[in-house]
Amino acid sequence: MTELVEQVDDDDRVIGVVGRDEAIRRRWLHRVATVVCRDTRGILVHRRPRDAVRFPHGVNFMLGGAAEPGETYEEAAARELEEELGVRARPRFVLKFRCAGVISPYWLGLHEAVVTGPFAPDPDEIAWHDWLTEPQLAELVRDEAFVPDAREAYHRWAARRRDGPTPAGSAG
């Protein structure tokens, strides 16, 4: 079954609906929504399964995936959080930027959610997980196993946390 995404322009305006694989192959911009999960122990990090289609065995600090046609970034982030962790929450928007992407460029909407209580990681998405402090995460980002796109997002996210939010409507 073909996963559909909205092809968007340089200003993140929808210009059509296409298959995600075609968008990646042709390097068309589309939307990806991610969530950074926090709790009292720190930030959730995870390793992708060895057989994952994208970034096999890579380490990441975000959960997420492509936004479906008609979904906002926030709706897509909430759906991905439920699909990948089994958690229902309303992620808080943090920033959006055009990610160069190792596989293909895309607009990335990054969100945060506080995750309390038990959760059930999807083994097709998450092979291993742990909670790290922010200093531990800052060290892990330098590891070659860290997903390159997540590294770019981490640096923007960390700068935003350090410097505070930019004015409303800014892509960050």
Side-chain angles (χ1 to χ4, degrees):
M1 186 164 141
T2 300
E3 180 182 10
L4 297 178
V5 297
E6 292 173 330
Q7 181 185 357
V8 295
D9 65 14
D10 289 336
D11 296 316
D12 195 20
R13 291 182 302 235
V14 177
I15 56 176
V17 174
V18 299
R20 185 174 188 196
D21 288 341
E22 181 180 15
I24 290 170
R25 187 175 58 256
R26 294 179 179 255
R27 302 190 57 77
W28 290 338
L29 291 171
H30 54 287
R31 294 175 172 156
V32 170
T34 63
V35 183
V36 175
C37 297
R38 309 176 66 82
D39 83 347
T40 56
R41 294 168 286 186
I43 299 159
L44 183 71
V45 296
H46 70 280
R47 182 177 295 277
R48 309 254 309 136
R50 287 189 189 276
D51 61 352
V53 173
R54 294 178 185 90
F55 306 112
H57 211 57
V59 176
N60 202 333
F61 81 117
M62 302 178 298
L63 302 172
E68 295 177 352
E71 266 186 327
T72 65
Y73 285 99
E74 290 79 9
E75 290 166 343
R79 176 181 50 76
E80 291 287 345
L81 184 59
E82 186 169 1
E83 288 175 3
E84 295 186 15
L85 272 191
V87 171
R88 285 186 174 213
R90 176 172 256 175
R92 179 183 63 81
F93 177 82
V94 176
L95 62 94
K96 178 178 82 167
F97 68 97
R98 184 177 166 167
C99 183
V102 170
I103 297 171
S104 173
Y106 54 89
W107 280 97
L108 186 141
L110 189 146
H111 305 75
E112 287 185 350
V114 175
V115 175
T116 58
F119 57 87
D122 178 350
D124 291 334
E125 298 287 340
I126 299 171
W128 165 90
H129 68 277
D130 198 2
W131 296 94
L132 297 183
T133 64
E134 288 191 37
Q136 289 171 321
L137 176 58
E139 184 65 29
L140 180 62
V141 168
R142 297 186 194 121
D143 191 288
E144 68 180 37
F146 206 82
V147 172
D149 294 10
R151 187 174 293 118
E152 180 180 359
Y154 168 80
H155 290 299
R156 290 175 182 263
W157 174 78
R160 176 65 57 91
R161 292 180 56 74
R162 184 177 54 248
D163 301 337
T166 57
S170 173

